[in-house]
Amino acid sequence: MNNRFFRAAACAVALASMGGPLWAQYPYREPETWKEGEVALPARFSTDRLVTVDIEDRSSFEYGIDPDTLSVGADGVVRYVFVARSRSGALNALYEGVRCNAAEVKVYGRWDPDSASWRTSASDDWQPLDTRGSTRRALKLAQSGLCDGRAPNGSPRQILQTLRGEHPYRLR
């Protein structure tokens, strides 16, 4: 019985001593940090061909994105102009991006109709998507077809097809 114990202990010591050099061959590396790509605000956008999205059940607003502004960046961010238009014609437009892998949204600019230009704010940062508050619209868009789980839902063309209901979609 003691002989078995010593053999097992010797094997354990031998394996432990081999583990040092083995682990040295594969050192732990921090995952690469994500870097956001360069972002340019769109020169223009249109409300004539909005791809409408149902954000709220009982709303007097029409919500949609301008298909010509939809892009998927090399950094994995889905960017677009989001438009909320009231029945009386009042218009709010945001240029924003969704990071599907981090479940976050960032507003890059707000349209100012008086100056016909984008307003930006240095305080705009990535915010977690949530069912309540100001990020709810982006969460609804992500769930409606911008994202496929933790990744963009393909190309802008595929995303638009999904949002229009032309492409079968299942959130994974």
Side-chain angles (χ1 to χ4, degrees):
M1 182 103 154
N2 284 342
N3 197 14
R4 284 188 199 158
F5 172 76
F6 286 119
R7 273 191 261 167
C11 285
V13 169
L15 287 173
S17 66
M18 289 175 54
L22 181 65
W23 287 113
Q25 293 175 13
Y26 303 101
Y28 174 74
R29 291 191 180 120
E30 285 289 330
E32 260 187 55
T33 56
W34 175 79
K35 183 168 174 21
E36 185 172 13
E38 291 289 321
V39 178
L41 296 169
R44 61 185 172 277
F45 67 94
S46 173
T47 59
D48 295 336
R49 299 183 19 224
L50 291 180
V51 175
T52 59
V53 179
D54 184 26
I55 301 291
E56 294 181 20
D57 292 333
R58 298 180 196 143
S59 177
S60 60
F61 284 87
E62 173 189 32
Y63 301 101
I65 63 170
D66 176 3
D68 294 332
T69 63
L70 180 67
S71 68
V72 179
D75 56 5
V77 178
V78 181
R79 295 181 179 90
Y80 52 89
V81 171
F82 173 81
V83 175
R85 183 172 34 196
S86 73
R87 292 180 193 186
S88 65
L91 182 101
N92 288 316
L94 304 169
Y95 184 58
E96 60 188 10
V98 169
R99 286 182 65 198
C100 299
N101 68 339
E104 295 177 327
V105 63
K106 180 178 184 178
V107 175
Y108 296 103
R110 292 164 179 78
W111 182 251
D112 180 1
D114 295 332
S115 65
S117 63
W118 293 102
R119 284 184 292 127
T120 60
S121 171
S123 66
D124 285 333
D125 206 1
W126 290 101
Q127 302 292 318
L129 296 176
D130 198 346
T131 58
R132 297 173 294 205
S134 63
T135 66
R136 190 177 78 181
R137 74 181 173 286
L139 174 63
K140 188 73 171 184
L141 285 167
Q143 292 172 333
S144 297
L146 293 184
C147 301
D148 183 7
R150 292 239 177 222
N153 185 24
S155 67
R157 181 174 178 232
Q158 176 158 341
I159 291 171
L160 290 170
Q161 288 175 331
T162 302
L163 291 173
R164 290 181 180 126
E166 300 168 3
H167 187 276
Y169 179 69
R170 289 176 290 157
L171 185 63
R172 291 185 237 166

